Structures are given as C-alpha cells and as structure tokens.
Amino acid sequence: MTTTLSAAEPAAPPRQNPGPARRGRRQTALSRRTLLLFGGPFVVLFLAMYIAPIVYATVSSFYVVKRSGLGLTAPTKEFDPLHNFAQAFGDHDFLAGLGRVGLFAVVQVPLMLGVALGLALLIDAKSARGKGLFRLGAFLPYAIPGVSAALVWSFMYSADSSPINHLLEPLGIQIPFFSSGSVLWSVANIVTWSWTGYNMIIIYSALQTIPGEVLEAARMDGASALRIAWHIKIPAVRSSLVLTAVFSIIGSAQLFNEPTVLQPISSGSISSTFTPIMSAQAAVAAGNYHYAAAQSVILAVAVGVLSFVFFKLTNRSENA
Amino acid sequence: MSAAVTRASSTAGAKGGTKAGAKRDTTATSRGVVLAVLLISTAYFLFPLWWLLVSVTKPFGRQFSGSGLWFDGFGLFDNLSRLTAQNDGIFWRWMLNSVLYCGVGALVGTLLSAMAGYLLAKYEFRGKGLLFGTVLAAVLVPKILFTLPLYLMFSGVGLINNPLAVLLPSVVSPFGVYLARIFAAQSVPDEVIEAGRLDGAGEFRIFRTIGVPMMLPALVTIFLFQFVDIWNNYLLPAMVLGDDELQPVTVGLVGWNASHGVAVPAPLVVIGSLISVIPLIIAFVALQRFWRAGMTAGAVK
C-alpha cells in the first residue's frame, strides 16, 4: 500500500518512504500519559458527539409518550419497544419516502458513477488535451455547498427564471421540473451535478496508479483504446468504484438539503415526508421525538445492512 | 502543451514514460471526439455557475429576465450595496459566522484528527483495534442521523442558541482520523521518531516538531475537507441556532429564499448565493494540489 500511495501522491517527498518495512514492526508501547494526551481529546468528543447520540436515539425509540385524553395530567413516558417501529412500518408516508430514496439510489448512483468513470477514462485517455482544466471544471460543483447548489438549481428550475426552459422555448419544449413524475429526477440532477466530479477525481487518481508498462504492453499487442479501458483500466479502478458507490448510497439515504430547498417552490409535489430524513424532521416538528428516533434507527440499520451486503457481494465476485 | 504533459507524467509516476509519446499515436478524430464530449460535460458543470455570475452583474430586478446566460447592463455595485443594506447588513454577519464556525471547527478538528491518527499509526496500545474499528464504522454512518439526538441532548444541557452546539460536533471527524492515520504511517518514518527519542525529546515534542511538519500536506487536506463539511452541514445549525445573528450563511440564505421574495427580494438570494460560494471556490482552486493528494489516499487502498 505504501508504494502505490506514494506513486500517486506528489505531496510526500520520496525520501520519506520507509520502503517495504511493515508498519507496526517498530512501534513502541507508550505510557498512559502519552496515550491520553494524543487520543484523549478525540475519544472524549467522539463518545459525546457520536456514540452518545446513537445510544440516546436507540433508547428513545423504545419509549412512547402517553397523554391522557383531556391533556389535564402530565404526559407519561412508557417503555414500549415495538410501538414506534410498528407505527413506522405502518406509516404510508414514511414507507413511500424509503421507497423513493431506494428508487433514487438505484437510478442515480449507477448513472452518476457511470458518468464519473466515463469522464475519468476520457481525461486519462491519450487523446485528451487540457486535462487539468477539465478535471477542475468537473470538480468545481463540489466546492458549492449542498444548500447553495440547491438554491442555484432552484433558479434553473423555477418557472419565472429557468434559463433552461428559456433556451428550449423556440423548440416548443418546456421541462416540467416540478411535476410529480419528474421532481425526484430534478433532485437527482442536483446531486449528480454536485458529486460526479468528486467521484471522477477519486477514480481518476486510481487510474494514475496503473503501471505504464502494463498499458504499453497491451498497446504493443495491438489492443485498442476501448479494449484497454475495458480489460485493464476498469478492473484496476474496481475498489475505487466500490468505495464511491458505498459513499453514494449513504449519501442517498441522507437526502435532505436539496428537496428541502426546493420544497417551497415545488407547488406541493415535494411533501414534508418526501425522504426518510425529512419525515423524521417532520416528526420532531410535530413534537414526537420518539417516533423520529425510531425512523432514524430504521434508516441507519437499512444503510448499514446495504453497505455490508454491497461490500460482501463485490468482494466475492472479485475473488471468483 | 508540453508543460501539461510533463506535469501529468510527474503526477503519474511510473506512467510518465509512455505519456511523452502520446502526441504521435492519437488520431485527429479521436482527439476531436474526446474534446467534444469533455466540452459538453464541462458546459453542464459550469453553466449554473455562469448563470449566477451573469445574474449578479445585471441591474437589480432584472436577474430573472432575458436568457439568463448573457450580460445585460451593469449593476454589480448597486446589487452589493442592496445586499449590505438588507436587514442591517446581516448577510455579512452570516458570512463571518460561517467562516468562524468552519475555520475554528476545521482547525481544532484537524489537530484532534492528527493526534489520534498519529497515535493509531505509530504506537502500540491495548484497544487500538477497537478504536480504529469504531472510527471506521462511524465514517459509514450517515452523519445527518446524529443531528436529531444531538439537538435533544443540547436542549437538555441548555446549549441551544450557543455557537458551541455547532462547534462541538464539528471538531470530531472520523474520516479525518482515518486520513491522518494513513498519512502518518506513510510520511513519518519510525527511524526519525526513534532519533528524536535518543535526543531525549518527549513524545509530544516529537509529534509537534517532527510529525506535524512531515504530515503538513495531509493536514491541509483534512482541514479543507472538514471546512467544506462544516460549511455544508445545514440541518445542525438550522436546528440548534434559532437566533438570526448566530446563523451561518447557508441557513440565512435558505431563510431568505423561503420568504418567496416577499420579505426579501429574490434577486438578493441570487447575489448572496454567489458571494457565499466565493471563499470555497478560492480555497479549492488555490489548494488543488493538496486535496487531490488527499483524495488519492482515501481512494487507493
């Protein structure tokens, strides 16, 4: 790993490379004081800001607040571990949100990664000129914060200002960005715009680690650029594709910013429960935190299982 | 052109030898096709930004008229003064808040990540595997899921409307620790640490005077990624900061936008959106070298 990293990483001077010596061989045991000094601050904050919220949300999801009919007595909190989960699995809006995000991931993630892979291969191709500029151009949207990107695209979509529809007007075409059938894809376009370049850079970096001799040998054998891409380059960036896919699936599960920004101008096609996170948000706004916690737990478990299964599946076919 | 080739080959390392011959064995047709596809995709990535730039220079109120893709009169300075005048200049207050939250959060976060990553890469101790495993697992949990419970916990301890409620979660970056560990293992040789010990330096002093300078490019990457991460986090500040004066610029702009152009004219949202992305674009263009190195390390495992 050390050698592949330094090959693609111009920032580290080569003389610092410790060579094939395995990391950890010469590591020393250290005093408790040093351990606390280096790791203490991070661990304390990590426990407080990551572990505690997970425990808190999980425990909360097992409780239900019971109010008396007239609201004259104080509400009581009761332990009823299945209540909120049963409610969530019977909640049409929440399930619809889960389904919507699932559909989004199934369509948007492969599409985005396909485009990212295609762009990386094109920029890596021998025929490409101006590589640096194209790389930066594709990556620039990542520097636009998610909420700002959504704001900018809301102007691209809105009936009053859309420069896209303005351009298409002479052709007699108007894209209904906010119709109930297309609004999910309008959101998908914003996510694709924001993240394709980021994923492209990761895949491109992996392409740079393919040894030149391998490519040269393939060319000597008369392999076409397409064959080289298919048989050498794509298999070589496989682990990068898996990594970007997992991060993209996690990203889809947290879909919130883009639909929330578009919601006020969507004339109702984006509901307050459009995605699972929005649904949990709505539950908090309605004062039902325990229900929101249960929804969050369901989503987290679903994402965890999906990522795990995805890793397993891609690993197995790699070994076969 | 030759400069670009040299640069590409120095980045590519082993690949360099073959790149030099590139010019000769590509045909004009393949160059043309590749260029055309790249130009189309770049147009897609840049046109919303181009629209934003053009709109901001148009006279106030004409932001949504015309094709949107070409200049039409000049009103940049008037637009800026209107932005400044709106709600007593609160926009600049939001910008300052964003820069402070992101700057302080990323700085402290980078330091914590560097120390924890260095610890994981360079020392042996009980519970090391457990710590690293937990950190890795945390990278995979959607961050937005922590927001609701954090909000409840902060309400419990009275931290609502306090900048600490944004800063405290921001300084913890499992991904930063992961990157720091990779970089520490790769760029700080054990021999140098041992030499420092022989000279009688303490562990922290070795980290500060030897480790940190060697990890510096990596630390810049971690800082940048965390800066963007905090800037991007909308839900947390939106929930824990009710007070206008304390909000970061993203929360403020979305609030303006939600007024449907009634309380705040819509063109101001356009102008504010452009100003708000300038710091990040500058940071990315200036630090290109670093983030590309950082992403490589994260990707090539």
Side-chain angles (χ1 to χ4, degrees):
Chain A
M1 186 181 98
T2 319
T3 45
T4 47
L5 276 174
S6 56
E9 208 266 288
R15 87 182 153 74
Q16 292 172 1
N17 195 327
R22 209 152 277 174
R23 193 192 322 134
R25 188 191 293 167
R26 251 185 312 224
Q27 285 179 337
T28 31
L30 75 174
S31 72
R32 178 158 298 193
R33 218 180 111 249
T34 320
L35 181 66
L36 284 177
L37 178 70
F38 281 109
F42 174 79
V43 169
V44 168
L45 281 164
F46 181 72
L47 288 176
M49 301 296 148
Y50 272 78
I51 305 300
I54 291 182
V55 174
Y56 188 94
T58 311
V59 171
S60 300
S61 67
F62 297 148
Y63 283 87
V64 186
V65 172
K66 294 254 163 75
R67 291 182 176 84
S68 70
L70 294 169
L72 296 176
T73 49
T76 53
K77 206 167 101 171
E78 284 173 24
F79 183 73
D80 186 352
L82 289 180
H83 180 273
N84 290 310
F85 292 94
Q87 187 184 344
F89 285 113
D91 181 340
H92 178 76
D93 291 341
F94 177 68
L95 293 179
L98 273 181
R100 202 173 281 125
V101 159
L103 176 66
F104 177 95
V106 167
V107 176
Q108 191 266 342
V109 174
L111 193 78
M112 171 176 67
L113 294 183
V115 175
L117 174 65
L119 282 179
L121 287 171
L122 281 180
I123 295 180
D124 186 58
K126 284 179 133 198
S127 303
R129 297 288 175 269
K131 294 166 188 271
L133 277 182
F134 287 123
R135 225 166 31 208
L136 189 62
F139 183 74
L140 216 46
Y142 174 73
I144 313 299
V147 164
S148 303
L151 278 176
V152 176
W153 276 98
S154 75
F155 295 120
M156 300 294 110
Y157 293 159
S158 110
D160 317 326
S161 57
S162 173
I164 302 169
N165 277 339
H166 192 94
L167 280 177
L168 294 174
E169 220 169 352
L171 304 171
I173 308 170
Q174 293 289 286
I175 303 174
F177 291 108
F178 292 116
S179 75
S180 56
S182 59
V183 74
L184 184 63
W185 312 117
S186 298
V187 172
N189 172 57
I190 304 180
V191 177
T192 307
W193 182 78
S194 300
W195 291 92
T196 301
Y198 175 92
N199 293 312
M200 182 272 283
I201 296 278
I202 292 182
I203 298 167
Y204 180 81
S205 304
L207 282 175
Q208 300 307 299
T209 62
I210 304 175
E213 306 87 73
V214 174
L215 298 173
E216 198 53 39
R219 267 180 217 117
M220 295 286 200
D221 291 346
S224 68
L226 284 179
R227 268 184 74 93
I228 293 177
W230 186 253
H231 288 290
I232 300 177
K233 292 186 174 179
I234 294 180
V237 299
R238 206 196 150 83
S239 65
S240 296
L241 282 172
V242 171
L243 188 87
T244 49
V246 169
F247 279 126
S248 304
I249 292 170
I250 296 169
S252 306
Q254 358 188 13
L255 201 59
F256 176 80
N257 289 350
E258 293 84 0
T260 304
V261 170
L262 293 183
Q263 191 184 10
I265 54 167
S266 70
S267 43
S269 59
I270 297 181
S271 63
S272 61
T273 55
F274 193 71
T275 73
I277 297 276
M278 287 173 80
S279 176
Q281 249 326 83
V284 171
N288 192 351
Y289 176 71
H290 301 287
Y291 185 43
Q295 291 179 325
S296 304
V297 170
I298 291 172
L299 187 62
V301 170
V303 172
V305 169
L306 259 181
S307 304
F308 183 75
V309 168
F310 189 81
F311 266 126
K312 279 277 164 208
L313 282 178
T314 47
N315 264 333
R316 183 178 306 157
S317 48
E318 200 164 5
N319 296 338
Chain B
M1 186 58 239
S2 67
V5 171
T6 327
R7 222 176 63 114
S9 52
S10 70
T11 324
K15 242 174 145 184
T18 59
K19 291 257 169 168
K23 256 184 195 166
R24 265 174 293 123
D25 26 276
T26 57
T27 65
T29 327
S30 82
R31 277 202 301 273
V33 171
V34 168
L35 185 70
V37 177
L38 287 176
L39 281 176
I40 292 170
S41 73
T42 307
Y44 165 70
F45 289 121
L46 295 186
F47 94 85
L49 299 175
W50 173 252
W51 177 89
L52 200 58
L53 192 71
V54 167
S55 298
V56 168
T57 63
K58 287 180 175 178
F60 191 80
R62 276 204 259 164
Q63 269 65 29
F64 303 128
S65 61
S67 75
L69 294 177
W70 200 246
F71 301 96
D72 174 22
F74 186 78
L76 175 63
F77 298 119
D78 177 47
N79 289 335
L80 288 177
S81 66
R82 281 171 195 263
L83 180 70
T84 306
Q86 183 71 35
N87 300 15
D88 301 322
I90 195 159
F91 177 80
W92 300 108
R93 174 76 206 234
W94 290 338
M95 284 295 282
L96 183 70
N97 290 343
S98 279
V99 170
L100 280 178
Y101 295 148
C102 299
V104 174
L107 201 64
V108 178
T110 306
L111 180 69
L112 295 183
S113 301
M115 292 197 300
Y118 179 85
L119 177 75
L120 284 167
K122 292 295 164 191
Y123 296 105
E124 221 37 88
F125 57 91
R126 269 180 58 197
K128 177 168 151 165
L130 177 72
L131 178 60
F132 189 58
T134 317
V135 167
L136 261 191
V139 174
L140 293 180
V141 181
K143 206 171 175 185
I144 208 161
L145 294 176
F146 301 111
T147 308
L148 301 179
L150 276 176
Y151 169 73
L152 268 282
M153 288 164 62
F154 287 143
S155 323
V157 294
L159 271 180
I160 294 301
N161 256 337
N162 185 327
L164 276 180
V166 174
L167 280 172
L168 285 176
S170 305
V171 299
V172 189
S173 167
F175 191 61
V177 174
Y178 169 73
L179 282 183
R181 178 181 178 271
I182 290 179
F183 280 113
Q186 168 198 337
S187 61
V188 187
D190 293 335
E191 291 85 347
V192 181
I193 297 177
E194 266 159 36
R197 281 194 195 117
L198 288 177
D199 289 344
E203 298 298 323
F204 191 73
R205 200 189 137 112
I206 293 175
F207 167 73
R208 194 167 50 82
T209 57
I210 299 173
V212 169
M214 283 179 166
M215 292 165 71
L216 203 59
L219 299 184
V220 175
T221 314
I222 296 173
F223 177 86
L224 192 62
F225 275 76
Q226 230 189 320
F227 192 93
V228 174
D229 222 36
I230 305 172
W231 198 295
N232 264 327
N233 192 348
Y234 165 79
L235 185 57
L236 177 71
M239 287 191 85
V240 299
L241 301 175
D243 201 336
D244 271 1
E245 293 277 308
L246 292 174
Q247 285 168 356
V249 69
T250 45
V251 177
L253 280 178
V254 171
W256 274 6
N257 193 47
S259 83
H260 290 84
V262 181
V264 180
L268 285 184
V269 180
V270 178
I271 298 157
S273 298
L274 179 75
I275 309 280
S276 73
V277 302
I278 289 176
L280 293 171
I281 292 187
I282 292 177
F284 268 105
V285 174
L287 300 171
Q288 257 206 80
R289 229 160 57 77
F290 295 112
W291 55 253
R292 281 192 33 225
M295 289 171 82
T296 314
V300 186
K301 232 171 20 116

